[in-house]
Amino acid sequence: MSTTTAPPSAKDEAVVPQRNPHRGRKVRIAANTFAVVVGLIWFFPIYWMISSALLPNSEFRSSTPVFVNLHPTFEHVQGVLSDDRFWSALSVSARVTAIAVVVAVFLAFLTAVAISRFRFAGRGALIATVLVIQMIPAEALFISQYKMLDGWGLLNSVFGLTLLYVGIIVPFNVWILKGFIDGVPVELEQAAMIDGCTRFGAFFRVTLPLLGPGLVTAAIFAIITAWNEYTLALVVMGGGNETLPLWLQTFSGANQATNWGGIMAGSVLIALPVIILFMTVQTRMAAGLTAGAVKG
């Protein structure tokens, strides 16, 4: 005797919630609107700086803020470019930044590799030392740093200021690069060694290409730090041997009215190299994420 099973009723079937496409669209619109508002708030100081750099002197004395500059002028920019002290400060800043970035990233890279890939006596103490150095306020070291450079005859010199910048940049870069190195599986190096590579060759052929974004990030941090730093340069440099942030303060003083147009024009010219550099390298940062990971 055969029995037939009745089809399940609608009550027995699981109710599958239907996704509301209109709700998802509203969420996306709200999120995009919020992102645009945050972007405009972030961009407004940059716009104000550029607009003020092109503002005539007569407009700076106006009690009404000028949000849209209808009569731009390049007199402030031309005044900055014709100043010999600007080019001298640009040369000092460029040399200090270039040397500090190369030395600091190189030393931080070696330290990060040692901490991430090797186990040795004193490893924990080294990590704690790097962390403690980051926690020390920079102002607490000014006197000791000044006396150190004075004893070495490095005051008011590019090498002396670069040495201090390297000390500032290295600890933070060590943590940045250690995180990137820890994120690369050591099994990739082991597979390359099985294929005949040495330990040194496996690291530089497989792991190093994957660290491209980390090295770029560390270099950008080093460039921004050395290029924009003011307080250490104020303590160490003098006698006309100044960096760009120190040169910028010449537009204001106790015995003269503040030249806001010159300050804004100088700020634009100081920020421009960093902006151009970042826009150039950001499109290439993703290339290092997969380079070297494919066995050929």
Side-chain angles (χ1 to χ4, degrees):
M1 181 177 181
S2 61
T3 59
T4 59
T5 304
S9 62
K11 295 182 179 180
D12 298 332
E13 294 182 353
V15 178
V16 180
Q18 298 294 326
R19 183 177 179 181
N20 188 354
H22 298 288
R23 183 179 179 181
R25 186 180 307 167
K26 291 180 180 179
V27 171
R28 288 195 301 270
I29 292 175
N32 292 336
T33 303
F34 177 76
V36 170
V37 172
V38 172
L40 291 176
I41 294 175
W42 176 86
F43 181 74
F44 180 76
I46 301 176
Y47 166 77
W48 189 261
M49 178 179 66
I50 298 174
S51 177
S52 299
L54 304 177
L55 201 66
N57 281 324
S58 58
E59 298 291 343
F60 279 105
R61 302 181 181 91
S62 175
S63 58
T64 303
V66 180
F67 292 99
V68 180
N69 185 5
L70 300 178
H71 306 285
T73 176
F74 290 91
E75 58 178 337
H76 303 301
V77 177
Q78 292 173 354
V80 169
L81 296 178
S82 62
D83 187 0
D84 293 336
R85 294 183 63 178
F86 168 75
W87 296 106
S88 176
L90 177 62
S91 175
V92 173
S93 289
R95 285 181 289 163
V96 169
T97 302
I99 300 173
V101 169
V102 172
V103 175
V105 173
F106 178 74
L107 294 178
F109 175 72
L110 294 181
T111 306
V113 170
I115 294 175
S116 179
R117 284 292 190 259
F118 299 98
R119 300 295 182 268
F120 53 90
R123 178 178 177 272
L126 178 60
I127 297 176
T129 301
V130 173
L131 181 61
V132 169
I133 291 176
Q134 284 186 264
M135 298 168 59
I136 299 176
E139 293 78 5
L141 303 176
F142 282 170
I143 296 177
S144 58
Q145 290 171 337
Y146 183 89
K147 290 186 174 182
M148 178 186 69
L149 295 184
D150 187 25
W152 293 348
L154 296 177
L155 282 178
N156 194 25
S157 67
V158 170
F159 183 77
L161 184 61
T162 302
L163 186 64
L164 299 184
Y165 285 173
V166 169
I168 295 176
I169 296 170
V170 166
F172 187 74
N173 273 5
V174 168
W175 286 108
I176 292 178
L177 294 174
K178 180 181 180 299
F180 277 91
I181 296 174
D182 289 343
V184 178
V186 70
E187 288 78 12
L188 293 177
E189 298 178 29
Q190 295 173 352
M193 293 171 64
I194 292 176
D195 289 343
C197 284
T198 62
R199 180 67 180 269
F200 184 85
F203 181 83
F204 277 88
R205 291 186 178 184
V206 177
T207 304
L208 184 60
L210 298 176
L211 299 179
L215 293 173
V216 171
T217 303
I220 290 177
F221 168 78
I223 291 173
I224 293 175
T225 301
W227 188 260
N228 295 329
E229 203 281 327
Y230 173 78
T231 52
L232 271 178
L234 181 63
V235 172
V236 173
M237 308 298 280
N241 197 17
E242 56 194 4
T243 59
L244 284 173
L246 292 182
W247 162 83
L248 198 61
Q249 70 176 352
T250 60
F251 289 99
S252 62
N255 299 325
Q256 63 177 357
T258 301
N259 183 0
W260 290 109
I263 290 177
M264 293 301 178
S267 300
V268 171
L269 293 177
I270 292 174
L272 195 59
V274 178
I275 295 175
I276 294 175
L277 175 65
F278 182 77
M279 293 179 64
T280 302
V281 301
Q282 71 169 345
T283 56
R284 303 178 183 179
M285 288 182 64
L289 290 173
T290 56
V294 180
K295 178 180 174 183

